[in-house]
Structures are given as structure tokens and as C-alpha cells.
Amino acid sequence: MIENITIRPSMVSPTTELYIGENFLEEELLRGICLQLQGRVVVVTSEILRDLYGAKLAKKLGAELLIIPSGKNEKTQKHLENELFRMGCGRDTILIALGGGSITDLVGFVASIYLRGVFLILVPTTLLAMVDAAIGGKTSIDTMFGKNQIGTFYYPKAIIADVNVLKTLPEKEWANGLIEVLKMGLVFDKSIWDIAKKSSKSRELISKAVQGKITITERDPTEQGLRRILNFGHTIGHALEQVAEYTISHGEAVAIGSLAEAHLSMQLGYLPRGEFEEIQSLYSSFSLQLPKLYTRRSFFKAVAYDKKKLSDKVRFVLIDKIGHALPFEGAYCRPVIEEELKPTLDWMEKNYGGCSHRALAASRELDCTSL
Amino acid sequence: MIENITIRPSMVSPTTELYIGENFLEEELLRGICLQLQGRVVVVTSEILRDLYGAKLAKKLGAELLIIPSGKNEKTQKHLENELFRMGCGRDTILIALGGGSITDLVGFVASIYLRGVFLILVPTTLLAMVDAAIGGKTSIDTMFGKNQIGTFYYPKAIIADVNVLKTLPEKEWANGLIEVLKMGLVFDKSIWDIAKKSSKSRELISKAVQGKITITERDPTEQGLRRILNFGHTIGHALEQVAEYTISHGEAVAIGSLAEAHLSMQLGYLPRGEFEEIQSLYSSFSLQLPKLYTRRSFFKAVAYDKKKLSDKVRFVLIDKIGHALPFEGAYCRPVIEEELKPTLDWMEKNYGGCSHRALAASRELDCTSL
């Protein structure tokens, strides 16, 4: 069964055709889309994915193949740009990004700035990319100042989500995607949460998560309000990734972040304890641990660089029940001062810290400002 | 008198407020706009413009001042980005680009990609930037592969065109802007041409040229069709700049380019000889010369990198009378093969080449393929 969903971001007229189904990489779907766009097709992927799907796909499409080194930083971006220039690619180029979120983010960014924009088609190969990175028009690269710090809003012509490719997805990669699915359940759609409680690997779950993300991003394409709820778990999550110098996975960081921000929601009086405990219980299947490099000082430094802040105040998305983020008069986030964050950090360190963190948390004075 | 024009690019809902008038940098206009946007204001400018206007303006606005090195390449872009990160600028940052086209293009690009986009206000300080670079949402930087090869479409919140700053504009800089004004006359609005014939320095001329650019870019914000007419003179012009390794001014290159592309229009049977001669006559006030580094071989190599081409064919905007570019079924450009371009290059070399080019042009065999 093929689901075909047309995404219409309200601020831009070009629409994205999203296809969820099976065997797309074998069928004529992609070829038809490329023929319609009438351009020079370049499949951009990693070495591993070239061997798995890329080479075959490029051959089928009569396309060129461009292999990019791993990472989505400025160096990789320049490499990709320069290769396209060397190939003499013009404005009618169709870049097909085949890969996980790093690849779709990076190729999306290059597609948005190369000659001020060429055609883009996303073929996400991980659950995370399917339900999250590929949808919503966000592109980005990382800089020395943090993840996703440079990027654009740019809409692909099509997204091809072939769930067949997920069959070979490593368990850890699956968990990474599931964390974002659960987050969608927490902030927007309780039915996602309820399905996930029963089974974490159903086609329905993927479809619902995708639909949630589309609904949110269509209502607020450039993150002026509602879309901020998708940052739930990410303020703390991103900071943890930075503190860890990216030695923990995005999924793990966001899982701890989601739990901690749920705790913060409870501790600030919004979320009932029962709901928090239900959340904690479902997340207990993940093995979570704060990064070894974690200290409060480095954590606060990292939080301050988070994009979500409006100048000096750190703002958090908060929930008042499973499936509902608080609107805060359309801002969908609330400034939280260090003092308010403290009990949550104590809790986080106690539950997910290593021995040294736990000892520290137990012995710590209650004065945040001494850090 | 203040003219206030609201620009509504059809594809995006945020609008740009454009103000043309005098003494804006002295008055409360900019302050009011910044107050409305409620952000952290950073004036970005060059060292020279800081001394002329920047420092005073920043003080008036209570803004920070960021001085960028000259050039609009990747290095300058990174420098600007990194400074903003170091300052801890968040998403509520308002970047005010104070300068000529290089500065408005560069700051516009950085504003569009920094944290996926911050507020942008353009304060063009040259005629060229006022009538051309600042209007239409194009941002860009240069790469080793050519000018403006990397960029985005991104719309400023406001454009402040203070004609007072033009009073100190060097004659050569004025000519650079005038060339784009004349081009607008050639491809879109004969009344601009007629005003320019009488006086090249009237407020009406600036206003009409600005209005022309707005009309075109509103109808076709992302250059799918009509907007291509603005590339008249630029296919050859950009190639000449590249050949010259940017030792000739953009204005001079586009002036020769406009003349040559008018010649091409005539020689392909679209433009009557009388109209071509009128064009040639008005341009005779400029002192034009092909760059010393010009050779046909390097010229053809440069043309091939031009963004306007759709893969392998080089396309030209052509006119059939002063004030009207040919639509070519909505494409507003036509592929021209080397053989068709040859008589125009002969003419260009004969009229604007140095002694060696002229001798070469006189003695050259008519076979393009031997190059």
C-alpha cells in the first residue's frame, strides 16, 4: 500500500509530495518524479549506502552518483558544493539525498544554497530521518559552536519513505527514531503514545508520527510558535550532546532530555505525578546514562548556545499531560531560570549519572550560583 | 518626501517595507522598525562606512557594531558567522546590513542561514545596491568557481534607501549603478531609458528603477521565468568578470555585456538596427574596454560556469526593442550556440578590445570550433 500525502507549507507555494510505502527503490516512482522535473539527476549518499542501495538506484535512474564523506559540517558541505561545481551542475540539477538525517540535512542545505537552490528529493533510510529530519523543510550543518547552527528552511519536491529499508536498520538506530516518535506522542498526539506502549515497530506508528510532524510544520513552517513543541527534550538533549562532544547518540541525549523536561514540567506544577511516572516507565526500556564529560558548568555553558533561547533567557517547552504541550499564549515555551531548573538537574544526575555524578548530586549544596 | 512601498513576493507571506527618501539615518525610522521587531540589533558594515555612518547609527539605535573585512567570500562569511556565535546572538537578532551590494548580499546570506534565519534590514549605500542588489531577496557569496555561486532567497524586513548617502558616492560607483538602471530600461521599461537620456542623476530615475525591479521580482520571486530578463547583459558580463579575475568593475563588465547582448539580439534578427544604434550611442559616454586577460578560450570556459545555463546550453536574454525582452514562451531566454555568438564576439573584440584583440579580431578565421 502506498500512502501519498501532499505537504503544503503555508508560507511557500511549492508543495512536497510525500510517499510512504514499500519497494519504492525498486519501482518506477522516483524515475517518474525525476522525469517530470526534467533535470540532471545526482544521487548523493554515503559509501555504505551506495553499496546497499545507491549504486542500483543511480543505475535505474540513469543518474550520477556522488559519495560524501561522513559528518555534516562545513568541510563536508564545501566538498559537496565543490564536486557539484566541478561536475558543472546547473540550476536544473536534481539532488537526491539517500541516507539518514545527517545526509538529508546536509544535502538539503547544499541544495538550498547551490546556485541559490536546485531541486531536492529526500530518500530517508532511517526511522529518525523518516519521521523527523526529512519532514518540515529544515536543513542544517554543524559548526564548532554546536549542532544544526547553520541551515535554511527549504522544501524538497518529494520525500520517498520506503519502510523496507528499515528492515536492516540496527536496533540502536531504531531506538533513535523511536525517541522522536515518543516525543511526538508526548507533545501532540496521545494516540501515538498509546500505540507505542503496545508495539514500537508498527507501520501505523511511523505513519502517525509523520502525520503529526506534517500537521505541526504546516501550521508553523518557520518556527514562530507551535513548531517549537518539537523542541521538547531537545533543549537539555542538545546541551548533553554538546557536553559529550557528540560521543552519545542524538536519541539517547533526547531521551534523557525528554525525561528531564517532563520532570521539569511536573516540578513546575504543570504535569501530574502519575503522568510523569507513566512516561518514566515507558522510557525505562532504554538504557540511558549521562555522558562521562557531563558537569553542571559545561551543561549550563552548552544550554546558553541553544538556538531556542531568545537572547539571554533559556526557554523550555513544557507539557501538562501526555499528548499536550502548553501554549503559553502562542509562544509554546517558557523562560526557566537556573534556580527552577536545579531540582530537575539533581534528579537527572541522581537517576542517569555515573557513580561520580550520583555522589556529587547527593553531596551537592543547593546553591546553583556557586557553579 | 518619503516613499513607502510594501513589497509582497508572491511566494512568501512576509513582506518587506521599502523606504526611499532622505535623512533616514538621522531620523527615527530605523529605530521604530527595530523596536517593533524586538530583537538584539547588530549593525554590520565596513571600516570605512563605520566612520561615515555606522558608528553614529549604532549609537542612535543602541546597537552593537560588527565590522567585516572586505570581500564576500566564504572566509568573510565564516568570520561574520563566528562573530555572531561568539557574541551569543540568538534567533531574535536583527542584522542591519549597511553598505554596498557586497555587504547587503553577504549579510543577507548570513542572516538567512544563521540559526536558520534571523531578522534582516538592508541599508544600501550605493546606487547599485539601492536599485538592484537590495531588492528581490537574492543573497549570495562568491566562491572559487565564480561570483554569487552560493546564496539563498531571503527577504529583509525592511530596506532603507536614503538617497542622501549617494551624494558622496564616487563617479565610478554611480556609473556601476546606472548600468543596471539602463538595463532595466532596455528589458522592461522604456520610460527609464528616456529619463536616463535626459539626466542620469534624478531621484525619479532611482525610484522608477526600484519600482521596475520590485514589479519583476514580485511576479517571479525565484527566477522561474520573467525575472531572468534581469540577467540581460550579465551572461557575457559575468564571463568577462571571471576572465578578468575581477579586475574590472561589475558595471563595466555588464555595460559591455549589455551592448554585446543587444548586438546579439540584432544579429539574430530580433532587434532593429536603429534601436541598437540608439543603445550604442547612450553607452558611448562610458569608457569601456575588454579586460587584458580576455581570450575567447577563457571567455567560453567562463560562460559555461554561468548559473543561467540549463545544463549544457548557454541561454541568453534577448530584446526586440528598447524596453522589451523577448518572452520565448515564458522562458525569457533562448539557447545560443557558439556559431551564433561568433559575429557578436567579433564585434565586441573589434570595438572594445585593446590593440592586440583588435588585430586578432581582424585576422581571425570564422571558425569558432578552432578555439
Side-chain angles (χ1 to χ4, degrees), chain A residues 128 132 147 176 178-183 186 230-238 240-241 248-261 283 288:
Chain A
L128 183 61
D132 191 40
K147 279 186 76 172
N176 270 336
L178 188 58
I179 297 292
E180 296 293 338
V181 173
L182 292 179
K183 178 202 71 183
L186 287 177
L230 299 175
N231 292 325
F232 184 79
H234 283 66
T235 306
I236 289 177
H238 279 161
L240 291 178
E241 280 183 283
I248 60 168
S249 73
H250 181 69
E252 193 175 358
V254 173
I256 299 177
S258 298
L259 277 164
E261 295 180 22
Y283 278 80
L288 302 173

mmCIF file of all heavy atoms in Angstrom, chain A residues 128 132 147 176 178-183 186 230-238 240-241 248-261 283 288:
data_model
loop_
_atom_site.group_PDB
_atom_site.id
_atom_site.type_symbol
_atom_site.label_atom_id
_atom_site.label_comp_id
_atom_site.label_asym_id
_atom_site.label_seq_id
_atom_site.Cartn_x
_atom_site.Cartn_y
_atom_site.Cartn_z
ATOM 1 N N LEU A 128 14.540 7.679 12.143
ATOM 2 C CA LEU A 128 14.669 9.059 12.595
ATOM 3 C C LEU A 128 14.492 10.038 11.432
ATOM 4 O O LEU A 128 13.778 11.033 11.535
ATOM 5 C CB LEU A 128 16.040 9.262 13.260
ATOM 6 C CG LEU A 128 16.312 10.643 13.856
ATOM 7 C CD1 LEU A 128 15.321 10.972 14.950
ATOM 8 C CD2 LEU A 128 17.733 10.726 14.413
ATOM 9 N N ASP A 132 11.270 12.450 11.233
ATOM 10 C CA ASP A 132 11.688 13.731 11.792
ATOM 11 C C ASP A 132 12.483 14.586 10.802
ATOM 12 O O ASP A 132 11.983 15.556 10.252
ATOM 13 C CB ASP A 132 12.497 13.492 13.071
ATOM 14 C CG ASP A 132 12.729 14.767 13.856
ATOM 15 O OD1 ASP A 132 11.787 15.578 13.941
ATOM 16 O OD2 ASP A 132 13.832 14.957 14.372
ATOM 17 N N LYS A 147 25.480 21.857 17.113
ATOM 18 C CA LYS A 147 24.789 21.136 16.047
ATOM 19 C C LYS A 147 23.727 22.008 15.385
ATOM 20 O O LYS A 147 23.090 22.826 16.031
ATOM 21 C CB LYS A 147 24.117 19.889 16.636
ATOM 22 C CG LYS A 147 25.083 18.728 16.821
ATOM 23 C CD LYS A 147 24.352 17.491 17.266
ATOM 24 C CE LYS A 147 23.584 16.842 16.114
ATOM 25 N NZ LYS A 147 23.021 15.531 16.499
ATOM 26 N N ASN A 176 16.821 5.452 18.181
ATOM 27 C CA ASN A 176 16.985 6.881 17.902
ATOM 28 C C ASN A 176 15.725 7.501 17.299
ATOM 29 O O ASN A 176 15.333 8.608 17.644
ATOM 30 C CB ASN A 176 18.142 7.098 16.916
ATOM 31 C CG ASN A 176 19.459 7.283 17.633
ATOM 32 O OD1 ASN A 176 19.485 7.694 18.797
ATOM 33 N ND2 ASN A 176 20.542 6.961 16.959
ATOM 34 N N LEU A 178 12.671 6.100 17.450
ATOM 35 C CA LEU A 178 11.547 5.882 18.355
ATOM 36 C C LEU A 178 11.443 7.009 19.387
ATOM 37 O O LEU A 178 10.344 7.415 19.773
ATOM 38 C CB LEU A 178 11.710 4.515 19.044
ATOM 39 C CG LEU A 178 10.533 4.034 19.887
ATOM 40 C CD1 LEU A 178 9.261 3.950 19.071
ATOM 41 C CD2 LEU A 178 10.862 2.680 20.521
ATOM 42 N N ILE A 179 12.597 7.515 19.817
ATOM 43 C CA ILE A 179 12.616 8.607 20.800
ATOM 44 C C ILE A 179 11.854 9.828 20.252
ATOM 45 O O ILE A 179 11.094 10.484 20.979
ATOM 46 C CB ILE A 179 14.086 9.007 21.118
ATOM 47 C CG1 ILE A 179 14.850 7.847 21.751
ATOM 48 C CG2 ILE A 179 14.131 10.255 21.994
ATOM 49 C CD1 ILE A 179 14.409 7.469 23.130
ATOM 50 N N GLU A 180 12.037 10.105 18.978
ATOM 51 C CA GLU A 180 11.328 11.252 18.379
ATOM 52 C C GLU A 180 9.842 10.945 18.213
ATOM 53 O O GLU A 180 8.997 11.824 18.334
ATOM 54 C CB GLU A 180 11.943 11.634 17.027
ATOM 55 C CG GLU A 180 13.382 12.122 17.079
ATOM 56 C CD GLU A 180 13.569 13.461 17.801
ATOM 57 O OE1 GLU A 180 12.592 14.235 17.916
ATOM 58 O OE2 GLU A 180 14.701 13.718 18.264
ATOM 59 N N VAL A 181 9.547 9.679 17.921
ATOM 60 C CA VAL A 181 8.143 9.268 17.812
ATOM 61 C C VAL A 181 7.454 9.463 19.171
ATOM 62 O O VAL A 181 6.357 10.034 19.253
ATOM 63 C CB VAL A 181 8.037 7.800 17.347
ATOM 64 C CG1 VAL A 181 6.586 7.319 17.400
ATOM 65 C CG2 VAL A 181 8.600 7.641 15.934
ATOM 66 N N LEU A 182 8.134 9.018 20.226
ATOM 67 C CA LEU A 182 7.572 9.160 21.576
ATOM 68 C C LEU A 182 7.381 10.638 21.934
ATOM 69 O O LEU A 182 6.373 11.027 22.522
ATOM 70 C CB LEU A 182 8.467 8.484 22.613
ATOM 71 C CG LEU A 182 8.546 6.953 22.538
ATOM 72 C CD1 LEU A 182 9.490 6.414 23.605
ATOM 73 C CD2 LEU A 182 7.159 6.329 22.686
ATOM 74 N N LYS A 183 8.362 11.443 21.560
ATOM 75 C CA LYS A 183 8.261 12.886 21.818
ATOM 76 C C LYS A 183 6.999 13.452 21.147
ATOM 77 O O LYS A 183 6.263 14.238 21.752
ATOM 78 C CB LYS A 183 9.501 13.601 21.283
ATOM 79 C CG LYS A 183 9.455 15.098 21.471
ATOM 80 C CD LYS A 183 10.388 15.796 20.495
ATOM 81 C CE LYS A 183 9.845 15.714 19.072
ATOM 82 N NZ LYS A 183 10.741 16.310 18.085
ATOM 83 N N LEU A 186 4.200 12.686 23.247
ATOM 84 C CA LEU A 186 4.151 13.482 24.479
ATOM 85 C C LEU A 186 3.610 14.890 24.253
ATOM 86 O O LEU A 186 2.842 15.404 25.059
ATOM 87 C CB LEU A 186 5.551 13.585 25.109
ATOM 88 C CG LEU A 186 6.085 12.318 25.783
ATOM 89 C CD1 LEU A 186 7.502 12.558 26.301
ATOM 90 C CD2 LEU A 186 5.166 11.898 26.935
ATOM 91 N N LEU A 230 8.166 20.791 19.084
ATOM 92 C CA LEU A 230 9.032 19.694 18.641
ATOM 93 C C LEU A 230 10.397 19.754 19.312
ATOM 94 O O LEU A 230 11.174 18.823 19.243
ATOM 95 C CB LEU A 230 9.196 19.730 17.118
ATOM 96 C CG LEU A 230 7.894 19.563 16.330
ATOM 97 C CD1 LEU A 230 8.144 19.742 14.845
ATOM 98 C CD2 LEU A 230 7.296 18.180 16.601
ATOM 99 N N ASN A 231 10.685 20.876 19.955
ATOM 100 C CA ASN A 231 11.958 21.001 20.670
ATOM 101 C C ASN A 231 11.897 20.382 22.062
ATOM 102 O O ASN A 231 12.895 20.399 22.783
ATOM 103 C CB ASN A 231 12.347 22.478 20.792
ATOM 104 C CG ASN A 231 12.688 23.067 19.441
ATOM 105 O OD1 ASN A 231 13.245 22.386 18.585
ATOM 106 N ND2 ASN A 231 12.336 24.328 19.244
ATOM 107 N N PHE A 232 10.735 19.873 22.424
ATOM 108 C CA PHE A 232 10.633 19.207 23.720
ATOM 109 C C PHE A 232 11.746 18.154 23.837
ATOM 110 O O PHE A 232 11.978 17.377 22.910
ATOM 111 C CB PHE A 232 9.260 18.542 23.876
ATOM 112 C CG PHE A 232 9.049 17.927 25.233
ATOM 113 C CD1 PHE A 232 8.716 18.713 26.319
ATOM 114 C CD2 PHE A 232 9.195 16.555 25.423
ATOM 115 C CE1 PHE A 232 8.523 18.147 27.578
ATOM 116 C CE2 PHE A 232 9.003 15.980 26.671
ATOM 117 C CZ PHE A 232 8.672 16.780 27.748
ATOM 118 N N GLY A 233 12.429 18.173 24.957
ATOM 119 C CA GLY A 233 13.519 17.221 25.175
ATOM 120 C C GLY A 233 14.826 17.630 24.524
ATOM 121 O O GLY A 233 15.870 17.050 24.818
ATOM 122 N N HIS A 234 14.762 18.616 23.663
ATOM 123 C CA HIS A 234 15.952 18.970 22.881
ATOM 124 C C HIS A 234 16.795 20.076 23.510
ATOM 125 O O HIS A 234 17.961 20.208 23.175
ATOM 126 C CB HIS A 234 15.545 19.373 21.457
ATOM 127 C CG HIS A 234 15.205 18.189 20.596
ATOM 128 N ND1 HIS A 234 14.113 17.389 20.850
ATOM 129 C CD2 HIS A 234 15.824 17.652 19.514
ATOM 130 C CE1 HIS A 234 14.065 16.421 19.940
ATOM 131 N NE2 HIS A 234 15.087 16.558 19.113
ATOM 132 N N THR A 235 16.190 20.892 24.365
ATOM 133 C CA THR A 235 16.992 21.939 24.999
ATOM 134 C C THR A 235 18.057 21.268 25.864
ATOM 135 O O THR A 235 19.255 21.522 25.721
ATOM 136 C CB THR A 235 16.085 22.865 25.832
ATOM 137 O OG1 THR A 235 15.035 23.344 24.990
ATOM 138 C CG2 THR A 235 16.873 24.044 26.373
ATOM 139 N N ILE A 236 17.595 20.355 26.710
ATOM 140 C CA ILE A 236 18.545 19.591 27.518
ATOM 141 C C ILE A 236 19.300 18.586 26.645
ATOM 142 O O ILE A 236 20.513 18.419 26.777
ATOM 143 C CB ILE A 236 17.808 18.904 28.695
ATOM 144 C CG1 ILE A 236 17.387 19.985 29.717
ATOM 145 C CG2 ILE A 236 18.663 17.822 29.346
ATOM 146 C CD1 ILE A 236 16.579 19.482 30.897
ATOM 147 N N GLY A 237 18.590 17.954 25.723
ATOM 148 C CA GLY A 237 19.219 16.954 24.851
ATOM 149 C C GLY A 237 20.406 17.507 24.072
ATOM 150 O O GLY A 237 21.491 16.925 24.075
ATOM 151 N N HIS A 238 20.192 18.649 23.402
ATOM 152 C CA HIS A 238 21.281 19.258 22.634
ATOM 153 C C HIS A 238 22.455 19.623 23.535
ATOM 154 O O HIS A 238 23.608 19.457 23.150
ATOM 155 C CB HIS A 238 20.793 20.505 21.902
ATOM 156 C CG HIS A 238 20.076 20.197 20.632
ATOM 157 N ND1 HIS A 238 19.237 21.104 20.010
ATOM 158 C CD2 HIS A 238 20.082 19.091 19.842
ATOM 159 C CE1 HIS A 238 18.744 20.549 18.915
ATOM 160 N NE2 HIS A 238 19.238 19.342 18.788
ATOM 161 N N LEU A 240 23.340 18.211 26.281
ATOM 162 C CA LEU A 240 24.056 16.982 26.656
ATOM 163 C C LEU A 240 24.950 16.498 25.518
ATOM 164 O O LEU A 240 26.083 16.067 25.736
ATOM 165 C CB LEU A 240 23.060 15.879 27.044
ATOM 166 C CG LEU A 240 22.278 16.100 28.350
ATOM 167 C CD1 LEU A 240 21.296 14.958 28.580
ATOM 168 C CD2 LEU A 240 23.221 16.251 29.542
ATOM 169 N N GLU A 241 24.434 16.587 24.292
ATOM 170 C CA GLU A 241 25.250 16.187 23.143
ATOM 171 C C GLU A 241 26.511 17.028 23.053
ATOM 172 O O GLU A 241 27.591 16.529 22.770
ATOM 173 C CB GLU A 241 24.458 16.363 21.849
ATOM 174 C CG GLU A 241 23.475 15.256 21.550
ATOM 175 C CD GLU A 241 22.799 15.487 20.214
ATOM 176 O OE1 GLU A 241 21.883 16.343 20.153
ATOM 177 O OE2 GLU A 241 23.176 14.845 19.230
ATOM 178 N N ILE A 248 27.671 10.753 22.642
ATOM 179 C CA ILE A 248 26.437 9.981 22.839
ATOM 180 C C ILE A 248 25.531 10.238 21.649
ATOM 181 O O ILE A 248 25.665 11.237 20.938
ATOM 182 C CB ILE A 248 25.683 10.317 24.155
ATOM 183 C CG1 ILE A 248 25.279 11.798 24.208
ATOM 184 C CG2 ILE A 248 26.488 9.934 25.372
ATOM 185 C CD1 ILE A 248 24.288 12.083 25.337
ATOM 186 N N SER A 249 24.603 9.311 21.409
ATOM 187 C CA SER A 249 23.734 9.448 20.241
ATOM 188 C C SER A 249 22.691 10.536 20.495
ATOM 189 O O SER A 249 22.358 10.852 21.646
ATOM 190 C CB SER A 249 23.044 8.122 19.944
ATOM 191 O OG SER A 249 22.043 7.888 20.911
ATOM 192 N N HIS A 250 22.197 11.105 19.413
ATOM 193 C CA HIS A 250 21.139 12.103 19.499
ATOM 194 C C HIS A 250 19.936 11.509 20.243
ATOM 195 O O HIS A 250 19.346 12.149 21.108
ATOM 196 C CB HIS A 250 20.736 12.531 18.086
ATOM 197 C CG HIS A 250 19.666 13.568 18.036
ATOM 198 N ND1 HIS A 250 19.865 14.868 18.444
ATOM 199 C CD2 HIS A 250 18.374 13.500 17.638
ATOM 200 C CE1 HIS A 250 18.739 15.556 18.291
ATOM 201 N NE2 HIS A 250 17.821 14.749 17.805
ATOM 202 N N GLY A 251 19.623 10.273 19.923
ATOM 203 C CA GLY A 251 18.473 9.623 20.539
ATOM 204 C C GLY A 251 18.611 9.534 22.049
ATOM 205 O O GLY A 251 17.694 9.886 22.789
ATOM 206 N N GLU A 252 19.760 9.072 22.482
ATOM 207 C CA GLU A 252 19.983 8.914 23.926
ATOM 208 C C GLU A 252 19.892 10.275 24.631
ATOM 209 O O GLU A 252 19.261 10.416 25.679
ATOM 210 C CB GLU A 252 21.352 8.270 24.184
ATOM 211 C CG GLU A 252 21.511 7.799 25.622
ATOM 212 C CD GLU A 252 22.834 7.051 25.866
ATOM 213 O OE1 GLU A 252 23.604 6.865 24.899
ATOM 214 O OE2 GLU A 252 23.081 6.678 27.014
ATOM 215 N N ALA A 253 20.534 11.274 24.010
ATOM 216 C CA ALA A 253 20.515 12.615 24.601
ATOM 217 C C ALA A 253 19.087 13.149 24.698
ATOM 218 O O ALA A 253 18.688 13.719 25.722
ATOM 219 C CB ALA A 253 21.383 13.559 23.768
ATOM 220 N N VAL A 254 18.299 12.945 23.631
ATOM 221 C CA VAL A 254 16.929 13.458 23.630
ATOM 222 C C VAL A 254 16.039 12.635 24.569
ATOM 223 O O VAL A 254 15.099 13.167 25.162
ATOM 224 C CB VAL A 254 16.353 13.512 22.196
ATOM 225 C CG1 VAL A 254 14.881 13.891 22.212
ATOM 226 C CG2 VAL A 254 17.139 14.504 21.353
ATOM 227 N N ALA A 255 16.357 11.360 24.727
ATOM 228 C CA ALA A 255 15.589 10.544 25.673
ATOM 229 C C ALA A 255 15.772 11.090 27.093
ATOM 230 O O ALA A 255 14.798 11.326 27.811
ATOM 231 C CB ALA A 255 16.037 9.084 25.591
ATOM 232 N N ILE A 256 17.022 11.296 27.489
ATOM 233 C CA ILE A 256 17.265 11.887 28.818
ATOM 234 C C ILE A 256 16.633 13.276 28.874
ATOM 235 O O ILE A 256 15.983 13.646 29.858
ATOM 236 C CB ILE A 256 18.786 11.977 29.126
ATOM 237 C CG1 ILE A 256 19.407 10.580 29.131
ATOM 238 C CG2 ILE A 256 19.008 12.662 30.480
ATOM 239 C CD1 ILE A 256 20.918 10.566 29.346
ATOM 240 N N GLY A 257 16.796 14.034 27.784
ATOM 241 C CA GLY A 257 16.218 15.381 27.724
ATOM 242 C C GLY A 257 14.705 15.359 27.874
ATOM 243 O O GLY A 257 14.125 16.184 28.589
ATOM 244 N N SER A 258 14.049 14.419 27.213
ATOM 245 C CA SER A 258 12.582 14.337 27.287
ATOM 246 C C SER A 258 12.145 14.017 28.713
ATOM 247 O O SER A 258 11.198 14.617 29.248
ATOM 248 C CB SER A 258 12.052 13.250 26.348
ATOM 249 O OG SER A 258 12.381 13.553 25.015
ATOM 250 N N LEU A 259 12.840 13.061 29.314
ATOM 251 C CA LEU A 259 12.513 12.700 30.691
ATOM 252 C C LEU A 259 12.735 13.883 31.625
ATOM 253 O O LEU A 259 11.893 14.187 32.469
ATOM 254 C CB LEU A 259 13.397 11.530 31.134
ATOM 255 C CG LEU A 259 12.889 10.157 30.716
ATOM 256 C CD1 LEU A 259 13.990 9.126 30.836
ATOM 257 C CD2 LEU A 259 11.691 9.771 31.585
ATOM 258 N N ALA A 260 13.876 14.553 31.449
ATOM 259 C CA ALA A 260 14.198 15.675 32.334
ATOM 260 C C ALA A 260 13.200 16.816 32.128
ATOM 261 O O ALA A 260 12.764 17.458 33.092
ATOM 262 C CB ALA A 260 15.628 16.147 32.089
ATOM 263 N N GLU A 261 12.803 17.059 30.879
ATOM 264 C CA GLU A 261 11.862 18.158 30.642
ATOM 265 C C GLU A 261 10.442 17.779 31.077
ATOM 266 O O GLU A 261 9.651 18.651 31.433
ATOM 267 C CB GLU A 261 11.968 18.634 29.184
ATOM 268 C CG GLU A 261 13.358 19.251 28.938
ATOM 269 C CD GLU A 261 13.620 19.779 27.527
ATOM 270 O OE1 GLU A 261 12.654 20.075 26.808
ATOM 271 O OE2 GLU A 261 14.807 19.891 27.158
ATOM 272 N N TYR A 283 9.993 4.884 29.166
ATOM 273 C CA TYR A 283 11.385 5.151 28.787
ATOM 274 C C TYR A 283 12.367 4.203 29.476
ATOM 275 O O TYR A 283 13.537 4.163 29.120
ATOM 276 C CB TYR A 283 11.768 6.600 29.126
ATOM 277 C CG TYR A 283 11.334 7.600 28.078
ATOM 278 C CD1 TYR A 283 10.033 8.052 28.028
ATOM 279 C CD2 TYR A 283 12.242 8.091 27.140
ATOM 280 C CE1 TYR A 283 9.627 8.967 27.069
ATOM 281 C CE2 TYR A 283 11.842 9.007 26.176
ATOM 282 C CZ TYR A 283 10.535 9.447 26.149
ATOM 283 O OH TYR A 283 10.133 10.348 25.212
ATOM 284 N N LEU A 288 19.858 4.361 29.592
ATOM 285 C CA LEU A 288 20.282 5.759 29.484
ATOM 286 C C LEU A 288 21.325 6.116 30.531
ATOM 287 O O LEU A 288 21.240 5.687 31.675
ATOM 288 C CB LEU A 288 19.065 6.682 29.651
ATOM 289 C CG LEU A 288 17.910 6.472 28.664
ATOM 290 C CD1 LEU A 288 16.715 7.328 29.042
ATOM 291 C CD2 LEU A 288 18.357 6.781 27.245
#
